[in-house]
Amino acid sequence: MSERRCFIAGNWKMYLTTTEGVRLAQELRNLLTQVRKVDIGVFPSALLLSAVAKKLEESNIVVGAQNAYAKGFGAFTGENSASQLKDAGAAWCLVGHSERRKIFGETDADCNRKIKELHGEGVNVIFCLGETIEEREAGTTFKVLERQLRVGLEGLKAPFPADLVLAYEPVWAIGTGRNATPDQVEEVHCWIRDWLKERFGATVGEALRIQYGGSVKPENAAQLLRVKNVDGALVGGASLKADSFVAIVKAAL
Ligand code: PGA
């Protein structure tokens, strides 16, 4: 039996002002203070990082960024480096979220550079992958996932300098209210697990955590978190309200 700890992460996307984010962080801190068996994280937009991280200091809730640039420093107007994010309080960072890939044109190779840069700074990574509805309907889901994993993780060697978590997020399930079924999730997560074992060896492949993301809410969390090889959830919409996020964390207990 593996000892993988469940990790429930809230992706706040480009929502909440600093005041609202700090208030939500305080509420979560109060409501989740007893939780010890599950890892919990919030991922506010970069502007909120310092304030939210300060509010969650010495709590059981970690803080992460949603994106980082792949270079250490330089003339890259509007971007944030891994070291700057870390300095602002981010212990984690998302890489390859489908909104980054689709809206901002991030490639698998960009994801690979970002993961390496973040790991080089000691920042833990949640690496997101997933197929579009067109890709699923065309029967190319595993081909797409294979490419995202192969290119995204190219050159990475275990032991990693910082943690790596995978998040399977079918694009058609993100923000649509339509989550993947437990059978669909199980099929993909088992396939990812096998890929990871093949690539990094049985021990590392077995230890890496794979979150599910895409319309996770209090009503479906317990069912999805029970699925084999599901080690947590990446939660968007339902992470913006304390009661729904807390209910999802509790479903993991
Ligand atoms: P959702 O978003 O929970 O609102 O579907 C998930 C995500 O974008 O990570």
Side-chain angles (χ1 to χ4, degrees), residues 11 13 97 99 169 173-176 213-216 234-238:
N11 172 9
K13 308 197 180 190
H97 189 280
E99 285 149 20
E169 298 204 298
I174 297 176
T176 58
S215 297
V216 176
L234 183 52
V235 185

Side-chain angles (χ1 to χ4, degrees), residues 25-26 28-30 32-36 38 40-42 52-63:
Q26 181 67 60
L28 294 175
R29 184 174 186 144
N30 296 343
L32 294 171
T33 180
Q34 308 288 354
V35 176
R36 288 283 168 266
V38 173
I40 309 163
V42 293
V52 169
K54 194 158 192 300
K55 191 45 78 178
L56 294 174
E57 242 166 34
E58 283 164 42
S59 76
N60 55 339
I61 305 175
V62 297
V63 179

Side-chain angles (χ1 to χ4, degrees), residues 13-90:
K13 308 197 180 190
M14 202 178 71
Y15 293 109
L16 308 179
T17 62
T18 299
T19 310
E20 291 164 344
V22 166
R23 193 184 307 133
L24 177 56
Q26 181 67 60
E27 284 181 285
L28 294 175
R29 184 174 186 144
N30 296 343
L31 293 165
L32 294 171
T33 180
Q34 308 288 354
V35 176
R36 288 283 168 266
K37 286 195 185 138
V38 173
D39 291 336
I40 309 163
V42 293
F43 290 69
S45 77
L47 275 177
L48 280 64
L49 267 177
S50 305
V52 169
K54 194 158 192 300
K55 191 45 78 178
L56 294 174
E57 242 166 34
E58 283 164 42
S59 76
N60 55 339
I61 305 175
V62 297
V63 179
Q66 298 169 13
N67 180 40
Y69 195 58
K71 292 269 179 25
F73 58 90
F76 303 106
T77 302
E79 294 293 325
N80 297 302
S81 71
S83 61
Q84 290 173 319
L85 295 165
K86 184 179 172 184
D87 182 57

Side-chain angles (χ1 to χ4, degrees), residues 159-179:
F160 308 120
D163 205 351
L164 177 70
V165 169
L166 289 296
Y168 170 56
E169 298 204 298
V171 181
W172 46 273
I174 297 176
T176 58
R178 175 186 165 202
N179 61 282

Side-chain angles (χ1 to χ4, degrees), residues 1-6 37 39 203 206-209 231:
M1 268 305 279
S2 76
E3 302 284 322
R4 295 188 301 264
R5 269 173 76 83
C6 196
K37 286 195 185 138
D39 291 336
T203 311
E206 192 58 50
L208 287 170
R209 292 181 288 183
D231 310 307

